[in-house]
Amino acid sequence: MGSELALSAIGLVIQAAALLVFPFAVLAASCRAINAVQDCQLPATPYIELLSLTVGAFAGGIILWTNVHVGLLDPGEIFRKDGPWDMGFGQFLAGPANPFAYDLSAILVWPFSGRLPSLAGLAVLVLGGAVFYVPVLTYRTRRAFANGLRNVVILFWGAYATVYLFFYTGWLANKLNFWIFLLLLVVVGMRRRSERVVLKIN
């Protein structure tokens, strides 16, 4: 029994670590691929990358708002066995981790559909265009084009990561179940201890 519990815990740690690393590995690989073809650094790089990430996170928030039913956030649903958050590793990758599983109509609409994106979605499109076109039109070089392309990648990643990490948090809470409260107590205790150490040093 003890060995089965230990193996289960080890398996959960491996799965949780793999799922946590996955979106960051995708971003790193994408940016490295662009940089391998053309260096992307421009004077405004850190600021426009931060803007791209912020716009992406905002887009992710819109996607969550339009796709997630508030009932899913009920603690009873989060921790319920066989509930919506109780997913296996493969189910998570095929479901919440699949960017094609969401309704994006609040931001993107099909041409000639007669629909318009929401005002928030329109803001995402305008700012998304800006993070690409501003460096391209300002510098008019291959490096500027690569920079704009990477900004778009970061924007899309920001949207994806916002949705992904939201569901990852719920999935992890479901897997940890009541152990999550023990973990929170440990974290709070460590934080209080570190604050005491800082006070003594000061």
Side-chain angles (χ1 to χ4, degrees):
M1 182 67 179
S3 60
E4 290 181 2
L5 186 61
L7 287 174
S8 177
I10 292 171
L12 176 59
V13 169
I14 293 173
Q15 289 182 17
L19 289 176
L20 181 60
V21 168
F22 173 71
F24 298 97
V26 170
L27 176 65
S30 301
C31 290
R32 281 181 178 273
I34 296 172
N35 275 318
V37 176
Q38 172 64 55
D39 180 45
C40 302
Q41 295 299 316
L42 292 174
T45 290
Y47 307 105
I48 198 164
E49 285 182 349
L50 180 60
L51 176 61
S52 302
L53 186 60
T54 303
V55 175
F58 179 60
I62 296 173
I63 294 169
L64 287 173
W65 179 262
T66 55
N67 283 268
V68 177
H69 190 277
V70 68
L72 286 176
L73 304 179
D74 184 87
E77 287 296 294
I78 292 174
F79 296 108
R80 181 164 64 89
K81 185 174 177 58
D82 297 325
W85 296 95
D86 187 10
M87 295 173 280
F89 185 82
Q91 289 175 311
F92 185 90
L93 290 176
N98 179 9
F100 300 105
Y102 299 98
D103 176 17
L104 306 179
S105 60
I107 301 174
L108 301 174
V109 295
W110 289 104
F112 312 112
S113 65
R115 297 182 59 187
L116 292 173
S118 64
L119 289 177
L122 189 60
V124 169
L125 294 176
V126 171
L127 291 171
V131 299
F132 176 77
Y133 284 109
V134 167
V136 170
L137 296 178
T138 300
Y139 296 97
R140 299 177 183 273
T141 61
R142 285 184 58 186
R143 176 175 292 196
F145 180 82
N147 181 270
L149 185 60
R150 189 173 67 173
N151 294 336
V152 172
V153 168
I154 292 172
L155 189 154
F156 274 97
W157 181 86
Y160 177 73
T162 299
V163 177
Y164 182 99
L165 293 175
F166 171 84
F167 281 100
Y168 174 83
T169 302
W171 173 84
L172 187 61
N174 175 272
K175 293 302 179 185
L176 291 174
N177 211 306
F178 67 90
W179 290 103
I180 194 171
F181 300 106
L182 178 61
L183 184 62
L184 288 173
L185 287 174
V186 171
V187 171
V188 170
M190 291 176 63
R191 184 171 181 179
R192 286 181 177 175
R193 185 175 299 176
S194 65
E195 288 176 352
R196 289 175 186 170
V197 171
V198 170
L199 287 174
K200 287 181 180 179
I201 292 175
N202 292 338

